[in-house]
Amino acid sequence: MSNAVVNGLAGAGGGIVAQIITYPLQTVNTRQQTERVAKKDSTLPLATCPARGTLVQIFQVIKSEGFGGLYSGLKPSLLGTAASQGIYYSFYQAFKNKAEAIAAANRKKGRGDGSPGMLSWLLVASLAGSLNVLLTNPIWVLVTRMQTHTQAERKIVEAKREALLKEASENVLTRSSLQDQLAALDSVKPRPYGTLQAACEVFNESGITGFWKGIIPTLIMVCNPSIQFMIYETSLKYLRAKRATRKQHLKDITALEIFLLGALAKLGATVSTYPLLVVKSRLQAKQEIGGNISLRYSGTLDAIVKMIRYEGLTCFYKGMSTKIVQSVFAASVLFMIKEELVKAYALVTHKSQKILLNAAK
């Protein structure tokens, strides 16, 4: 197999393991991002409950929905992770090979040291990321819908409850009728909601284009893996050069070092692009039901303007601590497993070739 295919498969394997381990944090983080909380001077009826910690929210999900609630949308998420990592690493390795060939050719002409520079890594990662986003965005729209479905259903019920209480205060409803209707609302159970139901809902709302909701901030967010891989490759190159300069006998980078480099790279990328991730989640989640226009977004710019106007700038960083923990740990696991799988494949291939050579003799 070619280097690009090996790295693609190794990346997919590492991504799946990392996704399973950190998925509960991802679910809670998506709900944090899509929760509306009005700023203090706002008169709009957005949620006013104080922000709760990640652990508290995890226990609340378990209490109200069971452990399954933490893994809502896991199946399409695993498919999306495998597809994303496979597509990304395959294109990344292919573009990386091209960049390294160009750098080697430039060295022969007396330009450069024979290795791609920081700008080259950024371009390589951006091209791979853009292709990945365009091909896999529909999967992530479904994952976001499934992760926030229970939250959206609860908000719909709360909106109906507020409407009934308002009618009762205006003497439109009798007390007995109000109690009956409130009891009926309390008895409503969340509808079964799988991948097919999510796909139908998205299609009924916006047609085929609905599967590419949030594509603009997602494409801009291509700079996240670009920054991540730029930091990772630059740090890796520096570490290898430093080790070679010291003439250390142990030239191979260890799994722990890969883990730490992956964590550092993801931390830098996540902090710099988090606001775009919040906007993307808001666009992909089910739009609020009701007449409050501040809760409905027609596009990326509309979402940004309304979020600033009604919730303040702090809403762009909701749940960031959860995301940092989830992203850094997931990226570290991914890089570590990917590198180990690539090494294992190289070792097996080398041994196989040696056996074949011995047999030929």
Side-chain angles (χ1 to χ4, degrees), residues 78-270:
L78 289 178
L79 172 63
T81 298
S84 293
Q85 296 300 333
I87 291 169
Y88 186 85
Y89 278 110
S90 295
F91 281 116
Y92 179 82
Q93 190 63 42
F95 293 138
K96 178 183 176 181
N97 291 343
K98 185 67 175 176
E100 288 175 340
I102 292 171
N106 286 338
R107 185 182 182 182
K108 291 179 180 178
K109 297 175 183 177
R111 296 197 298 260
D113 61 356
S115 62
M118 190 177 292
L119 187 61
S120 296
W121 291 129
L122 189 62
L123 181 60
V124 164
S126 297
L127 288 171
S130 297
L131 289 169
N132 173 44
V133 163
L134 292 171
L135 293 171
T136 62
N137 196 73
I139 299 174
W140 298 114
V141 170
L142 298 182
V143 171
T144 302
R145 285 297 179 104
M146 294 174 74
Q147 287 176 332
T148 59
H149 169 68
T150 304
Q151 183 185 41
E153 289 286 301
R154 186 179 69 248
K155 288 179 181 178
I156 292 171
V157 171
E158 287 173 357
K160 290 180 179 178
R161 181 187 295 276
E162 287 178 6
L164 287 173
L165 292 173
K166 185 178 179 181
E167 288 181 10
S169 67
E170 295 171 353
N171 296 320
V172 177
L173 290 175
T174 62
R175 185 177 180 82
S176 59
S177 176
L178 173 65
Q179 289 177 341
D180 290 340
Q181 292 192 45
L182 288 175
L185 272 180
D186 291 335
S187 65
V188 173
K189 301 287 183 183
R191 294 173 290 121
Y193 196 78
T195 308
L196 182 60
Q197 287 88 346
C200 290
E201 183 180 79
V202 171
F203 184 78
N204 290 336
E205 282 180 12
S206 310
I208 197 70
T209 57
F211 292 98
W212 275 270
K213 277 189 173 182
I215 192 67
I216 293 175
T218 308
L219 278 172
I220 299 172
M221 276 177 59
V222 163
C223 63
N224 183 295
S226 300
I227 294 169
Q228 176 186 345
F229 276 86
M230 180 183 67
I231 295 172
Y232 175 74
E233 293 287 356
T234 305
S235 302
L236 193 61
K237 179 183 174 182
Y238 171 78
L239 188 60
R240 282 174 174 158
K242 189 176 180 180
R243 190 159 288 177
T245 303
R246 292 182 178 181
K247 297 180 180 179
Q248 294 180 353
H249 296 295
L250 185 62
K251 295 291 179 66
D252 286 340
I253 308 299
T254 65
L256 177 60
E257 287 170 328
I258 293 294
F259 183 94
L260 294 174
L261 288 179
L264 174 67
K266 192 61 180 180
L267 178 61
T270 298

